[in-house]
Amino acid sequence: MTATFETIKYIAFDLDGTLVDSAPDLAEGIRMALADLNLHTVTDNDVRGWIGNGAEIMLKRALSQSVNINPELDEALYQKIRARFDFHYANNGHDKTVVYPGVKDTLSALKEAGYVMGIVTNKPYQFVPEILEDLGLAHYFSDVIGGDSLPTNKPDPEGLVSLRDKHGLSDVQMMMVGDSKNDILAAKNAGIISVGLTYGYNYGEPISDSAPEFVADQFNQLLTVLSTEKTA
């Protein structure tokens, strides 16, 4: 059986850059961590180019001041920055993180139509439930997999495969929605179809380069490629 949008029963979503714009809060946490150690600062725009591979890679990019991590980066320095970032990001709240336009209405329509939905993000799990709750998104999702929930992160398909197996689904019944090549590659590695969003964080590369089955400029375009007439 070939996967089509009509066969989908379960939709997995990325979080940062897909459902929410979290860059301002992430950048503030990084700036405060760097300031604690009297290091350089970073801008929100810098951080937008470093998001997508989890906290460790993001922070090592911040220390390297580049998307390409300095191979001579001191691991002990990273561990210090990580501890300070985790503290600040956990305690500063998420006042600057906002839900993208159309996300809530679209998720409501998909849930009403009977789709089961989950989160598969490279963001450390410890931060995810609170963010979803604070932004009024938690009730849409049956599952939440964070960057440290399993041994691997996207683009490894482990998170998607674990959800497929948990819910007794076939590959043609699952779909991944994300803004990064890591999301699209994870879907391809899992053997499922994907939707790529153009507005998120993808290292300055067009999401179309990763060849998702559908490219959307707005989140609510999901409703044009999925049948919202299905029943639970």
Side-chain angles (χ1 to χ4, degrees):
M1 185 177 182
T2 303
T4 69
F5 289 110
E6 287 72 33
T7 65
I8 300 304
K9 293 185 176 181
Y10 191 105
I11 309 172
F13 293 91
D14 177 49
L15 180 61
D16 297 329
T18 295
L19 303 178
V20 303
D21 182 6
S22 54
D25 279 318
L26 289 169
E28 186 64 15
I30 294 172
R31 281 191 290 268
M32 295 178 77
L34 291 168
D36 287 347
L37 298 182
N38 296 312
L39 297 174
H40 58 270
T41 192
V42 297
T43 67
D44 288 10
N45 198 49
D46 291 332
V47 174
R48 289 181 187 279
W50 298 335
I51 298 170
N53 295 95
E56 178 177 352
I57 300 300
M58 179 184 67
L59 291 170
K60 287 183 175 180
R61 286 169 171 162
L63 287 170
S64 304
Q65 300 185 75
S66 170
V67 71
N68 299 311
I69 296 170
N70 181 353
E72 299 179 358
L73 184 67
D74 182 20
E75 182 66 19
L77 177 60
Y78 159 69
Q79 293 295 340
K80 290 178 181 177
I81 284 291
R82 178 60 185 269
R84 298 312 301 158
F85 170 79
D86 285 354
F87 173 81
H88 290 303
Y89 193 62
N91 288 282
N92 277 2
H94 308 287
D95 294 343
K96 298 179 182 178
T97 297
V98 297
V99 180
Y100 284 117
V103 165
K104 288 186 177 181
D105 288 346
T106 301
L107 292 176
S108 293
L110 292 172
K111 190 174 181 69
E112 179 67 22
Y115 292 97
V116 182
M117 297 181 286
I119 297 288
V120 181
T121 174
N122 285 347
K123 191 186 205 75
Y125 178 84
Q126 70 184 92
F127 303 121
V128 181
E130 181 180 339
I131 291 173
L132 293 175
E133 193 66 41
D134 287 351
L135 296 176
L137 298 174
H139 65 286
Y140 294 115
F141 302 106
S142 299
D143 309 280
V144 176
I145 293 179
D148 47 5
S149 298
L150 297 167
T152 60
N153 286 341
K154 298 174 296 183
D156 192 281
E158 185 177 14
L160 294 172
V161 170
S162 70
L163 292 177
R164 181 198 66 194
D165 294 347
K166 173 184 175 181
H167 291 276
L169 301 168
S170 62
D171 291 345
V172 300
Q173 294 174 316
M174 284 194 69
M175 180 174 81
M176 178 74 204
V177 179
D179 64 299
S180 165
K181 61 184 178 182
N182 295 315
D183 303 313
I184 310 307
L185 287 172
K188 291 181 182 298
N189 291 334
I192 69 174
I193 63 176
S194 60
V195 172
L197 299 166
T198 61
Y199 56 73
Y201 319 133
N202 193 36
Y203 320 109
E205 303 172 16
I207 195 65
S208 57
D209 288 356
S210 298
E213 278 69 27
F214 187 83
V215 175
D217 295 321
Q218 298 177 353
F219 193 83
N220 62 10
Q221 287 180 267
L222 288 176
L223 301 178
T224 70
V225 296
L226 290 167
S227 171
T228 55
E229 299 300 319
K230 65 180 291 187
T231 58

